[in-house]
Amino acid sequence: MAVGKYIKDVFGVVKSLATGMKRTLYYFFHHKEIITQEYPDNRDTLVLPERFKGEVVMPHDEKNEHRCTGCQACELACPNGTIKVITKFDMIDGKKKKAIDKLVYHLELCTMCNLCIEACPSDAIKMAQTFEHSVFDRNKLIKVLNNPGSKIMEGVE
Amino acid sequence: MWSFSEIANSIHEWLSKTFNPTWTLIFEMVIAGVAVIGLFALLGLVLVIMERKVSAWMQIRLGPNRVGPKGMLQSLADTVKLIVKEGLTPNGADKIMFNLAPFIAMIVAMLLLAPIAFAKNFQLWDLNIGVLYVSAVSSIMVISILIAGWSSNNKYSLLGAMRSGAQIVSYELSAGLSILAIVVLSGSLQVSDIINSQADGWWIFKGHIPAIIAFITFIIAVTAETNRAPFDLAEAESELTAGFHTEYSGMKFALFFLAEYVNVFIVCAIGATLFLGGWMPFHIGNWTGFNHAMDYIPSSIWFFGKTFFLIFVIMWFRWTFPRLRIDQLLNLEWKYLLPISMINLLLVTVMAILKWHF
Amino acid sequence: MNGSDIIFYLLAALTLVCAVLSVSTRQIFRAAIYLLFTLIGIAGIYFWLDYQFIAAVQIVVYVGGIVVLIIFSIFLTQQAGEKLPKQKIGRKIFSALAVFCGFGLTMLQVYQHDFIETENEAITTNVADIGRKMLSTNAEGYALPFEVVSMLLLAAMIGCIVIALKSKPETK
């Protein structure tokens, strides 16, 4: 029986190795399968995967309005203190209403973990696909996400 | 017609007309030496770029594509880089031995080129123990690795050297036995005799299944002997940084690197000579028309074509399989390859005595 | 002096210098490597004599086998870069005397022997001839010594296996 197993082993090994070699030979002759992106050369035609995450942005509409209520859920959700929400109180109709003054985002600390986006109750922030972030001064990585003079969109609580 | 042997003959005639025999011999030696060094340089450039392109395409990558047209000058740029780099010798190293090791590796590679027939009637030294000479001299190859490993005074180097020693010494056996199979079939150790015995068909076709088994064992064993993946335990990057050449840099490293590729070329040339007929064109029995058509392709193209095909096969191995563990490596040799090639040798002997081959 | 002589003297010089170095060095690994060069020099002399088979066997057995074994035992027992202790003067004198006695004996033999010059062309020994001689059973054959040596090697191999066999731990 030992001899039978030995011979079976040898043939099994040969067969499995041949399978692997067939695959690599297929790749060798099929250059269309190459997945390498020649990045700086194909910058204009670069297609990023749908789930690629580059940085956190806050979309504004044409009236310079955003959806952020200043609830600070994103700040709480962030694992490494990337987001600081600085709030102010607007007087609307004689009532005090909480709103954001600045939403400070430290790109140099961000790990693109997507937790803030999931935590946001009003879908005010989202992940953008930009990725060419390099700058000469570190301070340029500290970004204020809301545009100057922007307001909260009506109907968002 | 233009051929290597005619060029060699005309040079020889011109030299013997102009000088006395001693000077003729000296000049011929110098020419042969320069030709061998030139071949080495060329092989280094060609094989490195070939390896990188083959590996890239097998792994669905692009490979080097920046230097020169389609990246073909990449290895030239690497060579320039290695030449201008400083060759460090570590403080605790045994200086003489450390600097000697890469040269031994190169000299062994040069010696191994002697009995290889590059084209019809074009051979440096057709000695009557050709194949035995190759397997004898290639056993010196391990010495350079052992020297490099010991004299670096580095634990990784030493471990790499010991592994490589165990590996080369054990795989020499099955390489030798598979070579013997062809020696038994052709009845001679001389390289020219072996090639001439394949005039009516290569041994891999004439020798039925035992020749094919011998061929496979030979390829596996020489892959291990030249320390290439999946048997590159001597320089296993993930375990031993770079094994025996951890401490080497600059030109001394380049010599080891070059010696590896030259050795690959040599073992593939031997394999092509033994199993695929060397420079002998592809002939089938009595098909005279077909055989004549094949004769029109120059013999050197046949030789280099077969050799580079085998080199491609070895590269194919390297980029398909993961590295073996040391115990798996020794198991493969002592429990599988050696018994199989011994039984195979017995079969071949029976076949040769009963004249079952074509 | 022609080219052949020059090559002979070069090979002889390589062999002798490396032999002296191999006994005079205090680093054991270097001694092994010098021994290796000595053996390669001897193989070179065999090649020079056109005894190609013997030369190849010299390289296979001594260089590929014995020196590698010596180097392995050095790897397993010694530490890299350490020098051996200096020998006592008495030992040095004794070994020098022993060497000179051996050298004298050899030279005596060489000078007492009459080397007969032959008129015949030198013949290259064929591997096939060596093989036939080795296995022929007639008066000039070497079949019996060959078989005896192979029996000895077989016994040595079995002995090695017996020594290396691990006794299986008893299962309770």
Side-chain angles (χ1 to χ4, degrees), chain B residues 5 18 38 51 69 72 80 92 110 182 217 221 268 283 287-288 352-353:
Chain B
S5 60
T18 329
E51 169 111 298
M72 286 305 154
V80 171
M110 280 188 183
I182 296 305
T217 356
C268 289
H283 285 169
W287 298 13
T288 337
I353 292 169

Side-chain angles (χ1 to χ4, degrees), chain B residues 46-171:
Chain B
V46 171
L47 290 182
V48 171
I49 192 72
M50 178 177 165
E51 169 111 298
R52 293 185 63 175
K53 273 293 183 189
V54 168
S55 72
W57 287 336
M58 286 193 170
Q59 296 177 336
I60 345 179
R61 293 185 286 115
L62 283 164
N65 61 353
R66 297 281 138 178
V67 190
K70 301 231 167 209
M72 286 305 154
L73 298 179
Q74 179 70 49
S75 46
L76 198 66
D78 289 347
T79 315
V80 171
K81 183 204 78 172
L82 283 170
I83 288 171
V84 298
K85 256 175 108 173
E86 183 186 2
L88 281 172
T89 308
N91 241 346
D94 188 341
K95 298 231 162 41
I96 297 176
M97 292 298 156
F98 186 82
N99 292 316
L100 189 69
F103 292 100
I104 292 183
M106 268 333 271
I107 289 169
V108 170
M110 280 188 183
L111 285 175
L112 281 174
L113 272 186
I116 291 173
F118 291 96
K120 199 172 183 174
N121 301 325
F122 187 70
Q123 198 173 357
L124 283 176
W125 187 19
D126 190 17
L127 72 177
N128 63 24
I129 50 154
V131 180
L132 179 66
Y133 170 87
V134 169
S135 49
V137 173
S138 66
S139 66
I140 310 180
M141 209 150 67
V142 63
I143 300 279
S144 74
I145 292 174
L146 290 174
I147 295 178
W150 170 271
S151 58
S152 299
N153 197 11
N154 176 325
K155 58 189 168 219
Y156 296 124
S157 304
L158 189 61
L159 275 175
M162 289 189 71
R163 283 183 179 188
S164 137
Q167 176 183 336
I168 293 180
V169 168
S170 43
Y171 275 80

